[in-house]
Amino acid sequence: MGESELKYTREHEWIKVEGTKALVGITDYAQEALGDVVFVELPEVGKELEIGDVLGVVESVKAASDVYSPCRGKVTAVNEALFNNPELVNKDPYGDGWMVEMEFTELAGDLLSEEQYEARLAEEGK
């Protein structure tokens, strides 16, 4: 998955949109900042989420961090591989480490392009 086709949130989630479906995960920066991921909590399939709702939790050896929904819609699938292999978030955050698939009705209005996201990280010294 090329990161240039993704959009990013200010809270370090990524979203890949195809039609009305979207895959969501956390960015490479977020997984690096967290360190070794040891547990991932994901929503139940069918759960309705609003933009900004907590859709899951990523726990690492350093900290736990909420993951926020970048869109309004229904969870249609979760990456069950993460339950037994949470380290996939570290190994491949934009591929095998995806978290949820959603059927969305609205995207957050402040999603960033790859260039905007990288510029924001640079501005913040990250």
Side-chain angles (χ1 to χ4, degrees), residues 11-24:
E11 292 78 29
H12 309 291
E13 290 87 15
W14 59 261
I15 181 169
K16 179 182 180 188
V17 174
E18 290 183 356
T20 58
K21 295 241 181 206
L23 281 181
V24 179

Side-chain angles (χ1 to χ4, degrees), residues 90-122:
N90 294 117
K91 290 180 181 171
D92 191 9
Y94 300 112
D96 292 340
W98 67 275
M99 295 183 171
V100 300
E101 179 184 80
M102 296 180 67
E103 181 82 30
F104 70 91
T105 56
E106 181 182 358
L107 295 172
D110 59 351
L111 294 175
L112 305 171
S113 68
E114 180 181 14
E115 294 77 21
Q116 291 169 321
Y117 181 71
E118 294 293 331
R120 183 169 179 272
L121 289 178

